[in-house]
Structure formats: C-alpha cells, structure tokens
Amino acid sequence: MDSQLQDVFQPMSFEHWLNLVKSSVKKEELVQALQFQDEDDITINAIYLPEEQARTTFKKPLKIPKLRQWIWLNNNLDFSEITKSTQENETNSIEFFGDFPSDNDIFLQTLSTINPAETPLYFDLGESNTSLCFILFDDLSRHLISPESCLGGINFDPLAALAFIGKYTYSPSEMYKTIEAIFSEGGKLLPRFKLIGINATSFADAGASPALELALALSLFDAYRIILSDYPLEEIPKKVQIRLSAHSEFLVNISKFKAWHILWHNYKEVFHNTFSADPEVVAVITWNSYTAFDVHNNLIRQTLQVLSSALGGCDTWLIPSYEIPRNIPTGKSLRLSRNVALLLQHETDLKEAVALAEDAPFFENYGSRLAEKAWEYFLEFQKKGGYETCIQKGIIQRLVWENIEKKVKKINLEQKVVVGGNKYYNTNENLRNLPPLPFRFQKAQGNTNLPTIKELQLLRTLEELRIKHLGK
C-alpha cells in the first residue's frame, strides 16, 4: 500500500476485514456468500489472498471436449433412425445403453451403417458387457468390418457393481479371471477399444460427495491395476474411461474436474510417471437432479453441466436426453440435448473461455483442495485394504449413506432449491405417471451379502407424491 495512504487507511488482516463485513451486512444470505462450506466441509471464500491461490504447481492443458450421444436401447425407440440422425449432426461417438436388443439383426444392421473406424461405438449393455468383446468381434467380422480398426469401448465395471448389487455374481477369483480375459483376449480382438469404464458417476448419483467420487474413481483404477498385474502397467490407462458425474452445481463441477487431473498427476508420480497415456475423462451429464415437472428446465441444467465440465477439463461429454425423468427419450429430445453442446461449441467463445479457466485462481485453489481431500480418502481406503475390502466392510457405503441423507433433507426442507422440483413449479401441469428410470446398476434379486447403495433421481419421491395428490 502507498505510504501516504497508510496514514489514513491502516492495513488490516483478511480475518479482520471479514469480521467487519459480517457485522455491517444485515442479510444473512449475503454473509453466507462470503464464506460457506461445501459437501466435503471445505470452506469456500469469495476472496482469496495471494498466498492461497497457488496450492498446486500442476496444470492440465484444456481443450474442447468431444461429443458422445447416449442412446437408450428401448423397445419403443427407433434406434436405427436416431443413430442416423446422430451421425449427421457432428457427434464424435455414440454410446448404446440398455439390454442387448431382442431384435439382434436390426441392431447389427444399424451398426453396419456406421464406420466404427471413424465413429467410435461405445456399449453399456448390462450383463452382456462381459461377453460383448467376443460377440462384437464375430458380428463385425460377419459384416465384413475389420474389428482391429474399430474405435470405441465397453463400459465394463464389475468392481463398482459390488456396491450396488450387493454380491459377487461369481466368486472373487472368477471375477478376476474375467477381468483378465477381457483385457488379454478382448484386447487382442478389439485392440483399439477401451475395455473398462470406471463408473464413479454412479456413486455420485447414489449420494457421494465430489471428493469421495474422485477418491472412488482412483481407488477403482488402482484395484484394476492390481488385478491386471500381468498386463504392461504403462498400457492400462489407454484401455480405461474415467466416468465422472457432471452436475449443475457450476463452480463445484469446474473445480471437481480440475481436481481429478491433480489427483491423477499425484498418482502417476507414485509410479514415476510410468503410464504412457492418461485415461479418457468422460463427463457423464447425469440426470440425478433433473425434474419430471417443468421438464424443459433440464435443458438449462444441461447447459450448466456441459459448460462447467468443459471448463474443468473433461475429454468427452456423454449427453442423454433431458426428459428422461418424464418420458422415454425420443429423437427430438436427444437432438435438443445434443444441440446444447453444439451451441456452446459453435455460437460462444468456448475455446477462449476454456483457455481462461486454466489459470483462474478460484478454481485452481478449490480444485487443489478437493484433490487433497480426495487423496486423503484414497489413502484411508488403501490403509484399510483397498477398494474391494472397504466395500466388503461397508466403509464406502456408509460414507455415501451419510451424505445422501444430508442432500435429501436439504431438498425436503427447501434449503436446497430445485426449480420446478421442490419450489417454483408449474401448478397447472398435470402428470399421471412417471416412466421407469434407466439406472446403470440395477439392484440384484434375491439375497445379498454386502451392504448396498442405489442410484437416485433426487426429486422422484416428491414428484410421485405430487402426482398422487393431483390424482385426488
């Protein structure tokens, strides 16, 4: 400060300044905006001191993400027409979700219209994922397509499934053999495919905090690394997708994706940067906080999700239909959701915004603190035996349960507002029923021997109560 000014304005500490502001501001919400805590009990300040702004020296160069369209294989959906429309609209890749279609010939005929050497194809077909490498190899060969040139992947993640289905489908040793076979034999048949999708987003949709979601993503990767100890260590990340949730909490979302890159950088240093590549980071545009009432509000939520995950540094957007909580997706709804990313790519200064986000002090600071918290979780899980042991003991499930209780309570008490969900909803809207939700992990039937968690649409219970009330 200028010496003349110091005679009039005495320098004060940040804490002193903050206390003065708090004492002079009458509105409580303005005071809370200056300093508040997130889900991981990290204190967020509206203003940072210079010494607080450089918590990490690592920065990930950012780029515009690629666009992947999520297509639900439902019997009421003309996936042939939707696939054609998707290809014609600058989509970089396609992901098919659901059960393997009953009309296998039509599905394979649809695939035959795509050149998978140019348009990567990703599959998330439930239990079929285990054998999908071998099925695809045969079917692609029959259609005179060279499997060796095909790009894409399989969302195969049996370790994450343990927390949701509550048991081993086979014995642990059989599961390990299956994972090894997918990597060794499947990798030979489809050498350009990503063979494991780490579904951290499912834990977030079940209630995990941002730092816990990041820690689970890293813990799952480490668990697969140990199982695949006979596979070249440096090659494993090339075959893996890290699937993180993109929610509509804008600032948290940007910081969380930045935190992942810091976390991965720290992990690589443990192995002396042996890895020859980084795993693909997929921002799953999740519908966990979407509403069935006022369904078009979800397009605004998607805009926040897509933009914030790009500013945080994801590699790929995985975009579903905005109307999933209300209707089975149609070609029109998929097109509107896809256009969110296309508009940001072509009608905004997204490239410049992404470049600016690389050095934004707030996100660098918050991201590094999220990474520190996630690293603490990761080390704690490692000390207790690693991911699988913590799932068997219910340690991870308890952390998720505790956080989801807080989230649901805040929504029910309107401490967290969801527009069109628990507040500001359209009183003239009259819904009669809601469709089933396409969750990634369906709860296992029969007895389970492990504690379980479940994916949620947070507003589902409230909206079902509203429909019941409207029916009366």
Side-chain angles (χ1 to χ4, degrees), residues 352-385:
E352 288 75 13
V354 166
L356 289 171
E358 285 189 22
D359 295 309
F362 176 90
F363 301 118
E364 293 300 323
N365 181 287
Y366 187 17
S368 65
R369 295 174 75 188
L370 272 175
E372 289 167 9
K373 182 72 174 181
W375 189 252
E376 288 175 16
Y377 274 130
F378 174 71
L379 293 179
E380 182 183 341
F381 298 152
Q382 295 300 102
K383 288 176 184 176
K384 293 177 179 177

PDB file of all heavy atoms in Angstrom, residues 352-385:
ATOM      1  N   GLU A 352     -12.030 -19.772 -25.996  1.00  0.00           N
ATOM      2  CA  GLU A 352     -11.360 -18.731 -25.216  1.00  0.00           C
ATOM      3  C   GLU A 352     -11.665 -18.891 -23.721  1.00  0.00           C
ATOM      4  O   GLU A 352     -10.799 -18.690 -22.873  1.00  0.00           O
ATOM      5  CB  GLU A 352     -11.806 -17.348 -25.692  1.00  0.00           C
ATOM      6  CG  GLU A 352     -11.254 -16.931 -27.063  1.00  0.00           C
ATOM      7  CD  GLU A 352     -11.939 -17.642 -28.221  1.00  0.00           C
ATOM      8  OE1 GLU A 352     -12.994 -18.270 -27.999  1.00  0.00           O
ATOM      9  OE2 GLU A 352     -11.415 -17.565 -29.353  1.00  0.00           O
ATOM     10  N   ALA A 353     -12.918 -19.258 -23.419  1.00  0.00           N
ATOM     11  CA  ALA A 353     -13.305 -19.447 -22.017  1.00  0.00           C
ATOM     12  C   ALA A 353     -12.532 -20.592 -21.380  1.00  0.00           C
ATOM     13  O   ALA A 353     -12.098 -20.508 -20.227  1.00  0.00           O
ATOM     14  CB  ALA A 353     -14.805 -19.711 -21.923  1.00  0.00           C
ATOM     15  N   VAL A 354     -12.350 -21.681 -22.135  1.00  0.00           N
ATOM     16  CA  VAL A 354     -11.584 -22.827 -21.639  1.00  0.00           C
ATOM     17  C   VAL A 354     -10.147 -22.417 -21.362  1.00  0.00           C
ATOM     18  O   VAL A 354      -9.545 -22.801 -20.361  1.00  0.00           O
ATOM     19  CB  VAL A 354     -11.652 -23.995 -22.648  1.00  0.00           C
ATOM     20  CG1 VAL A 354     -10.604 -25.054 -22.332  1.00  0.00           C
ATOM     21  CG2 VAL A 354     -13.043 -24.631 -22.633  1.00  0.00           C
ATOM     22  N   ALA A 355      -9.582 -21.600 -22.261  1.00  0.00           N
ATOM     23  CA  ALA A 355      -8.202 -21.136 -22.068  1.00  0.00           C
ATOM     24  C   ALA A 355      -8.085 -20.276 -20.804  1.00  0.00           C
ATOM     25  O   ALA A 355      -7.127 -20.398 -20.040  1.00  0.00           O
ATOM     26  CB  ALA A 355      -7.748 -20.349 -23.297  1.00  0.00           C
ATOM     27  N   LEU A 356      -9.071 -19.402 -20.577  1.00  0.00           N
ATOM     28  CA  LEU A 356      -9.052 -18.547 -19.386  1.00  0.00           C
ATOM     29  C   LEU A 356      -9.195 -19.370 -18.109  1.00  0.00           C
ATOM     30  O   LEU A 356      -8.625 -19.034 -17.070  1.00  0.00           O
ATOM     31  CB  LEU A 356     -10.171 -17.510 -19.465  1.00  0.00           C
ATOM     32  CG  LEU A 356      -9.982 -16.394 -20.512  1.00  0.00           C
ATOM     33  CD1 LEU A 356     -11.256 -15.579 -20.635  1.00  0.00           C
ATOM     34  CD2 LEU A 356      -8.807 -15.494 -20.128  1.00  0.00           C
ATOM     35  N   ALA A 357      -9.980 -20.453 -18.180  1.00  0.00           N
ATOM     36  CA  ALA A 357     -10.229 -21.275 -16.986  1.00  0.00           C
ATOM     37  C   ALA A 357      -8.974 -21.991 -16.506  1.00  0.00           C
ATOM     38  O   ALA A 357      -8.908 -22.424 -15.351  1.00  0.00           O
ATOM     39  CB  ALA A 357     -11.328 -22.294 -17.281  1.00  0.00           C
ATOM     40  N   GLU A 358      -7.979 -22.129 -17.382  1.00  0.00           N
ATOM     41  CA  GLU A 358      -6.747 -22.827 -16.986  1.00  0.00           C
ATOM     42  C   GLU A 358      -6.063 -22.145 -15.809  1.00  0.00           C
ATOM     43  O   GLU A 358      -5.457 -22.801 -14.978  1.00  0.00           O
ATOM     44  CB  GLU A 358      -5.781 -22.899 -18.177  1.00  0.00           C
ATOM     45  CG  GLU A 358      -6.167 -23.917 -19.225  1.00  0.00           C
ATOM     46  CD  GLU A 358      -5.073 -24.094 -20.266  1.00  0.00           C
ATOM     47  OE1 GLU A 358      -3.905 -23.773 -19.967  1.00  0.00           O
ATOM     48  OE2 GLU A 358      -5.380 -24.548 -21.376  1.00  0.00           O
ATOM     49  N   ASP A 359      -6.144 -20.803 -15.745  1.00  0.00           N
ATOM     50  CA  ASP A 359      -5.398 -20.057 -14.723  1.00  0.00           C
ATOM     51  C   ASP A 359      -6.302 -19.320 -13.739  1.00  0.00           C
ATOM     52  O   ASP A 359      -5.824 -18.449 -13.014  1.00  0.00           O
ATOM     53  CB  ASP A 359      -4.465 -19.043 -15.403  1.00  0.00           C
ATOM     54  CG  ASP A 359      -3.395 -19.736 -16.228  1.00  0.00           C
ATOM     55  OD1 ASP A 359      -2.735 -20.639 -15.680  1.00  0.00           O
ATOM     56  OD2 ASP A 359      -3.240 -19.392 -17.410  1.00  0.00           O
ATOM     57  N   ALA A 360      -7.584 -19.644 -13.711  1.00  0.00           N
ATOM     58  CA  ALA A 360      -8.490 -18.941 -12.810  1.00  0.00           C
ATOM     59  C   ALA A 360      -8.158 -19.298 -11.362  1.00  0.00           C
ATOM     60  O   ALA A 360      -8.251 -20.467 -10.969  1.00  0.00           O
ATOM     61  CB  ALA A 360      -9.931 -19.313 -13.136  1.00  0.00           C
ATOM     62  N   PRO A 361      -7.772 -18.320 -10.525  1.00  0.00           N
ATOM     63  CA  PRO A 361      -7.321 -18.623  -9.154  1.00  0.00           C
ATOM     64  C   PRO A 361      -8.353 -19.352  -8.310  1.00  0.00           C
ATOM     65  O   PRO A 361      -7.994 -20.258  -7.549  1.00  0.00           O
ATOM     66  CB  PRO A 361      -7.014 -17.232  -8.575  1.00  0.00           C
ATOM     67  CG  PRO A 361      -6.737 -16.381  -9.757  1.00  0.00           C
ATOM     68  CD  PRO A 361      -7.618 -16.887 -10.851  1.00  0.00           C
ATOM     69  N   PHE A 362      -9.630 -18.957  -8.421  1.00  0.00           N
ATOM     70  CA  PHE A 362     -10.656 -19.598  -7.599  1.00  0.00           C
ATOM     71  C   PHE A 362     -10.693 -21.097  -7.861  1.00  0.00           C
ATOM     72  O   PHE A 362     -10.688 -21.909  -6.928  1.00  0.00           O
ATOM     73  CB  PHE A 362     -12.032 -18.978  -7.880  1.00  0.00           C
ATOM     74  CG  PHE A 362     -13.161 -19.651  -7.124  1.00  0.00           C
ATOM     75  CD1 PHE A 362     -13.526 -19.201  -5.861  1.00  0.00           C
ATOM     76  CD2 PHE A 362     -13.833 -20.749  -7.657  1.00  0.00           C
ATOM     77  CE1 PHE A 362     -14.552 -19.827  -5.155  1.00  0.00           C
ATOM     78  CE2 PHE A 362     -14.856 -21.374  -6.961  1.00  0.00           C
ATOM     79  CZ  PHE A 362     -15.214 -20.917  -5.712  1.00  0.00           C
ATOM     80  N   PHE A 363     -10.731 -21.483  -9.146  1.00  0.00           N
ATOM     81  CA  PHE A 363     -10.857 -22.903  -9.490  1.00  0.00           C
ATOM     82  C   PHE A 363      -9.574 -23.674  -9.202  1.00  0.00           C
ATOM     83  O   PHE A 363      -9.619 -24.844  -8.824  1.00  0.00           O
ATOM     84  CB  PHE A 363     -11.268 -23.055 -10.955  1.00  0.00           C
ATOM     85  CG  PHE A 363     -12.579 -22.386 -11.279  1.00  0.00           C
ATOM     86  CD1 PHE A 363     -12.649 -21.360 -12.193  1.00  0.00           C
ATOM     87  CD2 PHE A 363     -13.735 -22.764 -10.615  1.00  0.00           C
ATOM     88  CE1 PHE A 363     -13.848 -20.727 -12.471  1.00  0.00           C
ATOM     89  CE2 PHE A 363     -14.947 -22.135 -10.878  1.00  0.00           C
ATOM     90  CZ  PHE A 363     -15.009 -21.118 -11.809  1.00  0.00           C
ATOM     91  N   GLU A 364      -8.434 -23.011  -9.402  1.00  0.00           N
ATOM     92  CA  GLU A 364      -7.168 -23.672  -9.077  1.00  0.00           C
ATOM     93  C   GLU A 364      -7.102 -23.966  -7.581  1.00  0.00           C
ATOM     94  O   GLU A 364      -6.678 -25.036  -7.155  1.00  0.00           O
ATOM     95  CB  GLU A 364      -5.984 -22.788  -9.498  1.00  0.00           C
ATOM     96  CG  GLU A 364      -5.838 -22.608 -10.997  1.00  0.00           C
ATOM     97  CD  GLU A 364      -5.619 -23.925 -11.732  1.00  0.00           C
ATOM     98  OE1 GLU A 364      -4.915 -24.803 -11.187  1.00  0.00           O
ATOM     99  OE2 GLU A 364      -6.167 -24.081 -12.838  1.00  0.00           O
ATOM    100  N   ASN A 365      -7.532 -22.993  -6.776  1.00  0.00           N
ATOM    101  CA  ASN A 365      -7.497 -23.162  -5.326  1.00  0.00           C
ATOM    102  C   ASN A 365      -8.485 -24.225  -4.865  1.00  0.00           C
ATOM    103  O   ASN A 365      -8.122 -25.160  -4.143  1.00  0.00           O
ATOM    104  CB  ASN A 365      -7.805 -21.815  -4.664  1.00  0.00           C
ATOM    105  CG  ASN A 365      -7.761 -21.891  -3.148  1.00  0.00           C
ATOM    106  OD1 ASN A 365      -8.656 -22.447  -2.524  1.00  0.00           O
ATOM    107  ND2 ASN A 365      -6.724 -21.334  -2.564  1.00  0.00           N
ATOM    108  N   TYR A 366      -9.725 -24.065  -5.291  1.00  0.00           N
ATOM    109  CA  TYR A 366     -10.768 -25.004  -4.858  1.00  0.00           C
ATOM    110  C   TYR A 366     -10.487 -26.406  -5.398  1.00  0.00           C
ATOM    111  O   TYR A 366     -10.644 -27.415  -4.691  1.00  0.00           O
ATOM    112  CB  TYR A 366     -12.135 -24.479  -5.334  1.00  0.00           C
ATOM    113  CG  TYR A 366     -13.326 -25.249  -4.817  1.00  0.00           C
ATOM    114  CD1 TYR A 366     -13.247 -26.108  -3.729  1.00  0.00           C
ATOM    115  CD2 TYR A 366     -14.571 -25.096  -5.433  1.00  0.00           C
ATOM    116  CE1 TYR A 366     -14.360 -26.793  -3.264  1.00  0.00           C
ATOM    117  CE2 TYR A 366     -15.689 -25.782  -4.979  1.00  0.00           C
ATOM    118  CZ  TYR A 366     -15.579 -26.631  -3.898  1.00  0.00           C
ATOM    119  OH  TYR A 366     -16.667 -27.314  -3.443  1.00  0.00           O
ATOM    120  N   GLY A 367     -10.056 -26.495  -6.651  1.00  0.00           N
ATOM    121  CA  GLY A 367      -9.736 -27.797  -7.240  1.00  0.00           C
ATOM    122  C   GLY A 367      -8.631 -28.514  -6.490  1.00  0.00           C
ATOM    123  O   GLY A 367      -8.701 -29.719  -6.242  1.00  0.00           O
ATOM    124  N   SER A 368      -7.598 -27.756  -6.101  1.00  0.00           N
ATOM    125  CA  SER A 368      -6.482 -28.381  -5.378  1.00  0.00           C
ATOM    126  C   SER A 368      -6.929 -28.859  -3.997  1.00  0.00           C
ATOM    127  O   SER A 368      -6.475 -29.889  -3.507  1.00  0.00           O
ATOM    128  CB  SER A 368      -5.298 -27.420  -5.280  1.00  0.00           C
ATOM    129  OG  SER A 368      -5.627 -26.295  -4.495  1.00  0.00           O
ATOM    130  N   ARG A 369      -7.849 -28.124  -3.376  1.00  0.00           N
ATOM    131  CA  ARG A 369      -8.333 -28.534  -2.052  1.00  0.00           C
ATOM    132  C   ARG A 369      -9.233 -29.768  -2.164  1.00  0.00           C
ATOM    133  O   ARG A 369      -9.203 -30.652  -1.294  1.00  0.00           O
ATOM    134  CB  ARG A 369      -9.055 -27.368  -1.396  1.00  0.00           C
ATOM    135  CG  ARG A 369      -8.116 -26.203  -1.115  1.00  0.00           C
ATOM    136  CD  ARG A 369      -8.835 -24.989  -0.593  1.00  0.00           C
ATOM    137  NE  ARG A 369      -9.228 -25.172   0.795  1.00  0.00           N
ATOM    138  CZ  ARG A 369     -10.013 -24.322   1.438  1.00  0.00           C
ATOM    139  NH1 ARG A 369     -10.498 -23.270   0.816  1.00  0.00           N
ATOM    140  NH2 ARG A 369     -10.328 -24.534   2.695  1.00  0.00           N
ATOM    141  N   LEU A 370     -10.034 -29.830  -3.206  1.00  0.00           N
ATOM    142  CA  LEU A 370     -10.822 -31.050  -3.448  1.00  0.00           C
ATOM    143  C   LEU A 370      -9.899 -32.240  -3.691  1.00  0.00           C
ATOM    144  O   LEU A 370     -10.155 -33.349  -3.201  1.00  0.00           O
ATOM    145  CB  LEU A 370     -11.734 -30.857  -4.664  1.00  0.00           C
ATOM    146  CG  LEU A 370     -13.118 -30.262  -4.431  1.00  0.00           C
ATOM    147  CD1 LEU A 370     -13.823 -30.034  -5.767  1.00  0.00           C
ATOM    148  CD2 LEU A 370     -13.968 -31.183  -3.553  1.00  0.00           C
ATOM    149  N   ALA A 371      -8.833 -32.016  -4.458  1.00  0.00           N
ATOM    150  CA  ALA A 371      -7.878 -33.094  -4.734  1.00  0.00           C
ATOM    151  C   ALA A 371      -7.205 -33.570  -3.447  1.00  0.00           C
ATOM    152  O   ALA A 371      -6.987 -34.775  -3.253  1.00  0.00           O
ATOM    153  CB  ALA A 371      -6.827 -32.624  -5.746  1.00  0.00           C
ATOM    154  N   GLU A 372      -6.866 -32.636  -2.554  1.00  0.00           N
ATOM    155  CA  GLU A 372      -6.258 -33.002  -1.268  1.00  0.00           C
ATOM    156  C   GLU A 372      -7.213 -33.870  -0.441  1.00  0.00           C
ATOM    157  O   GLU A 372      -6.809 -34.878   0.156  1.00  0.00           O
ATOM    158  CB  GLU A 372      -5.891 -31.740  -0.491  1.00  0.00           C
ATOM    159  CG  GLU A 372      -4.721 -30.974  -1.074  1.00  0.00           C
ATOM    160  CD  GLU A 372      -4.582 -29.581  -0.478  1.00  0.00           C
ATOM    161  OE1 GLU A 372      -5.300 -29.290   0.508  1.00  0.00           O
ATOM    162  OE2 GLU A 372      -3.778 -28.785  -1.000  1.00  0.00           O
ATOM    163  N   LYS A 373      -8.480 -33.472  -0.420  1.00  0.00           N
ATOM    164  CA  LYS A 373      -9.477 -34.245   0.335  1.00  0.00           C
ATOM    165  C   LYS A 373      -9.671 -35.625  -0.288  1.00  0.00           C
ATOM    166  O   LYS A 373      -9.762 -36.642   0.427  1.00  0.00           O
ATOM    167  CB  LYS A 373     -10.802 -33.474   0.342  1.00  0.00           C
ATOM    168  CG  LYS A 373     -11.918 -34.127   1.140  1.00  0.00           C
ATOM    169  CD  LYS A 373     -11.675 -34.036   2.629  1.00  0.00           C
ATOM    170  CE  LYS A 373     -12.859 -34.556   3.435  1.00  0.00           C
ATOM    171  NZ  LYS A 373     -12.652 -34.465   4.882  1.00  0.00           N
ATOM    172  N   ALA A 374      -9.722 -35.679  -1.607  1.00  0.00           N
ATOM    173  CA  ALA A 374      -9.876 -36.962  -2.288  1.00  0.00           C
ATOM    174  C   ALA A 374      -8.677 -37.872  -2.043  1.00  0.00           C
ATOM    175  O   ALA A 374      -8.827 -39.091  -1.856  1.00  0.00           O
ATOM    176  CB  ALA A 374     -10.063 -36.733  -3.794  1.00  0.00           C
ATOM    177  N   TRP A 375      -7.479 -37.284  -2.029  1.00  0.00           N
ATOM    178  CA  TRP A 375      -6.265 -38.062  -1.772  1.00  0.00           C
ATOM    179  C   TRP A 375      -6.288 -38.630  -0.348  1.00  0.00           C
ATOM    180  O   TRP A 375      -5.857 -39.760  -0.126  1.00  0.00           O
ATOM    181  CB  TRP A 375      -5.036 -37.188  -1.986  1.00  0.00           C
ATOM    182  CG  TRP A 375      -3.730 -37.923  -1.952  1.00  0.00           C
ATOM    183  CD1 TRP A 375      -2.794 -37.881  -0.971  1.00  0.00           C
ATOM    184  CD2 TRP A 375      -3.217 -38.824  -2.953  1.00  0.00           C
ATOM    185  NE1 TRP A 375      -1.732 -38.690  -1.283  1.00  0.00           N
ATOM    186  CE2 TRP A 375      -1.950 -39.282  -2.493  1.00  0.00           C
ATOM    187  CE3 TRP A 375      -3.693 -39.275  -4.172  1.00  0.00           C
ATOM    188  CZ2 TRP A 375      -1.171 -40.167  -3.222  1.00  0.00           C
ATOM    189  CZ3 TRP A 375      -2.913 -40.164  -4.907  1.00  0.00           C
ATOM    190  CH2 TRP A 375      -1.669 -40.607  -4.431  1.00  0.00           C
ATOM    191  N   GLU A 376      -6.823 -37.868   0.606  1.00  0.00           N
ATOM    192  CA  GLU A 376      -6.971 -38.370   1.980  1.00  0.00           C
ATOM    193  C   GLU A 376      -7.895 -39.591   2.011  1.00  0.00           C
ATOM    194  O   GLU A 376      -7.591 -40.593   2.667  1.00  0.00           O
ATOM    195  CB  GLU A 376      -7.546 -37.276   2.881  1.00  0.00           C
ATOM    196  CG  GLU A 376      -6.578 -36.153   3.206  1.00  0.00           C
ATOM    197  CD  GLU A 376      -7.244 -35.036   4.007  1.00  0.00           C
ATOM    198  OE1 GLU A 376      -8.352 -35.278   4.548  1.00  0.00           O
ATOM    199  OE2 GLU A 376      -6.668 -33.931   4.080  1.00  0.00           O
ATOM    200  N   TYR A 377      -9.034 -39.493   1.314  1.00  0.00           N
ATOM    201  CA  TYR A 377      -9.951 -40.639   1.225  1.00  0.00           C
ATOM    202  C   TYR A 377      -9.239 -41.843   0.607  1.00  0.00           C
ATOM    203  O   TYR A 377      -9.339 -42.975   1.103  1.00  0.00           O
ATOM    204  CB  TYR A 377     -11.156 -40.295   0.346  1.00  0.00           C
ATOM    205  CG  TYR A 377     -12.299 -39.610   1.040  1.00  0.00           C
ATOM    206  CD1 TYR A 377     -12.850 -38.439   0.511  1.00  0.00           C
ATOM    207  CD2 TYR A 377     -12.884 -40.138   2.190  1.00  0.00           C
ATOM    208  CE1 TYR A 377     -13.926 -37.806   1.116  1.00  0.00           C
ATOM    209  CE2 TYR A 377     -13.960 -39.510   2.808  1.00  0.00           C
ATOM    210  CZ  TYR A 377     -14.469 -38.352   2.259  1.00  0.00           C
ATOM    211  OH  TYR A 377     -15.537 -37.731   2.865  1.00  0.00           O
ATOM    212  N   PHE A 378      -8.527 -41.589  -0.496  1.00  0.00           N
ATOM    213  CA  PHE A 378      -7.841 -42.669  -1.208  1.00  0.00           C
ATOM    214  C   PHE A 378      -6.848 -43.381  -0.292  1.00  0.00           C
ATOM    215  O   PHE A 378      -6.823 -44.626  -0.224  1.00  0.00           O
ATOM    216  CB  PHE A 378      -7.136 -42.109  -2.442  1.00  0.00           C
ATOM    217  CG  PHE A 378      -6.272 -43.100  -3.170  1.00  0.00           C
ATOM    218  CD1 PHE A 378      -6.825 -44.145  -3.888  1.00  0.00           C
ATOM    219  CD2 PHE A 378      -4.884 -42.992  -3.112  1.00  0.00           C
ATOM    220  CE1 PHE A 378      -6.024 -45.064  -4.560  1.00  0.00           C
ATOM    221  CE2 PHE A 378      -4.074 -43.902  -3.769  1.00  0.00           C
ATOM    222  CZ  PHE A 378      -4.643 -44.943  -4.497  1.00  0.00           C
ATOM    223  N   LEU A 379      -6.029 -42.620   0.418  1.00  0.00           N
ATOM    224  CA  LEU A 379      -5.030 -43.216   1.308  1.00  0.00           C
ATOM    225  C   LEU A 379      -5.702 -43.975   2.455  1.00  0.00           C
ATOM    226  O   LEU A 379      -5.222 -45.039   2.882  1.00  0.00           O
ATOM    227  CB  LEU A 379      -4.100 -42.139   1.860  1.00  0.00           C
ATOM    228  CG  LEU A 379      -3.180 -41.443   0.848  1.00  0.00           C
ATOM    229  CD1 LEU A 379      -2.327 -40.393   1.541  1.00  0.00           C
ATOM    230  CD2 LEU A 379      -2.307 -42.456   0.107  1.00  0.00           C
ATOM    231  N   GLU A 380      -6.825 -43.433   2.934  1.00  0.00           N
ATOM    232  CA  GLU A 380      -7.561 -44.107   4.001  1.00  0.00           C
ATOM    233  C   GLU A 380      -8.073 -45.469   3.520  1.00  0.00           C
ATOM    234  O   GLU A 380      -7.969 -46.475   4.231  1.00  0.00           O
ATOM    235  CB  GLU A 380      -8.736 -43.236   4.440  1.00  0.00           C
ATOM    236  CG  GLU A 380      -9.559 -43.826   5.581  1.00  0.00           C
ATOM    237  CD  GLU A 380     -10.756 -42.960   5.937  1.00  0.00           C
ATOM    238  OE1 GLU A 380     -10.765 -41.764   5.572  1.00  0.00           O
ATOM    239  OE2 GLU A 380     -11.695 -43.489   6.570  1.00  0.00           O
ATOM    240  N   PHE A 381      -8.604 -45.516   2.300  1.00  0.00           N
ATOM    241  CA  PHE A 381      -9.080 -46.791   1.744  1.00  0.00           C
ATOM    242  C   PHE A 381      -7.923 -47.764   1.558  1.00  0.00           C
ATOM    243  O   PHE A 381      -8.064 -48.971   1.816  1.00  0.00           O
ATOM    244  CB  PHE A 381      -9.786 -46.566   0.401  1.00  0.00           C
ATOM    245  CG  PHE A 381     -11.014 -45.701   0.475  1.00  0.00           C
ATOM    246  CD1 PHE A 381     -11.421 -44.945  -0.620  1.00  0.00           C
ATOM    247  CD2 PHE A 381     -11.773 -45.619   1.635  1.00  0.00           C
ATOM    248  CE1 PHE A 381     -12.550 -44.140  -0.559  1.00  0.00           C
ATOM    249  CE2 PHE A 381     -12.906 -44.815   1.712  1.00  0.00           C
ATOM    250  CZ  PHE A 381     -13.287 -44.075   0.613  1.00  0.00           C
ATOM    251  N   GLN A 382      -6.777 -47.244   1.127  1.00  0.00           N
ATOM    252  CA  GLN A 382      -5.610 -48.100   0.925  1.00  0.00           C
ATOM    253  C   GLN A 382      -5.144 -48.723   2.244  1.00  0.00           C
ATOM    254  O   GLN A 382      -4.811 -49.902   2.310  1.00  0.00           O
ATOM    255  CB  GLN A 382      -4.459 -47.304   0.292  1.00  0.00           C
ATOM    256  CG  GLN A 382      -4.731 -46.793  -1.104  1.00  0.00           C
ATOM    257  CD  GLN A 382      -5.011 -47.906  -2.097  1.00  0.00           C
ATOM    258  OE1 GLN A 382      -6.160 -48.159  -2.458  1.00  0.00           O
ATOM    259  NE2 GLN A 382      -3.983 -48.594  -2.520  1.00  0.00           N
ATOM    260  N   LYS A 383      -5.137 -47.918   3.309  1.00  0.00           N
ATOM    261  CA  LYS A 383      -4.711 -48.421   4.624  1.00  0.00           C
ATOM    262  C   LYS A 383      -5.632 -49.521   5.134  1.00  0.00           C
ATOM    263  O   LYS A 383      -5.213 -50.419   5.873  1.00  0.00           O
ATOM    264  CB  LYS A 383      -4.672 -47.267   5.630  1.00  0.00           C
ATOM    265  CG  LYS A 383      -3.528 -46.287   5.411  1.00  0.00           C
ATOM    266  CD  LYS A 383      -3.625 -45.123   6.399  1.00  0.00           C
ATOM    267  CE  LYS A 383      -2.541 -44.087   6.133  1.00  0.00           C
ATOM    268  NZ  LYS A 383      -2.685 -42.907   7.017  1.00  0.00           N
ATOM    269  N   LYS A 384      -6.894 -49.456   4.734  1.00  0.00           N
ATOM    270  CA  LYS A 384      -7.871 -50.435   5.212  1.00  0.00           C
ATOM    271  C   LYS A 384      -8.017 -51.633   4.278  1.00  0.00           C
ATOM    272  O   LYS A 384      -8.926 -52.441   4.445  1.00  0.00           O
ATOM    273  CB  LYS A 384      -9.226 -49.748   5.415  1.00  0.00           C
ATOM    274  CG  LYS A 384      -9.188 -48.732   6.555  1.00  0.00           C
ATOM    275  CD  LYS A 384     -10.502 -47.997   6.723  1.00  0.00           C
ATOM    276  CE  LYS A 384     -10.415 -47.013   7.899  1.00  0.00           C
ATOM    277  NZ  LYS A 384     -11.655 -46.220   8.065  1.00  0.00           N
ATOM    278  N   GLY A 385      -7.127 -51.726   3.282  1.00  0.00           N
ATOM    279  CA  GLY A 385      -7.123 -52.909   2.423  1.00  0.00           C
ATOM    280  C   GLY A 385      -7.499 -52.663   0.987  1.00  0.00           C
ATOM    281  O   GLY A 385      -7.549 -53.597   0.188  1.00  0.00           O
TER     282      GLY A 385
END
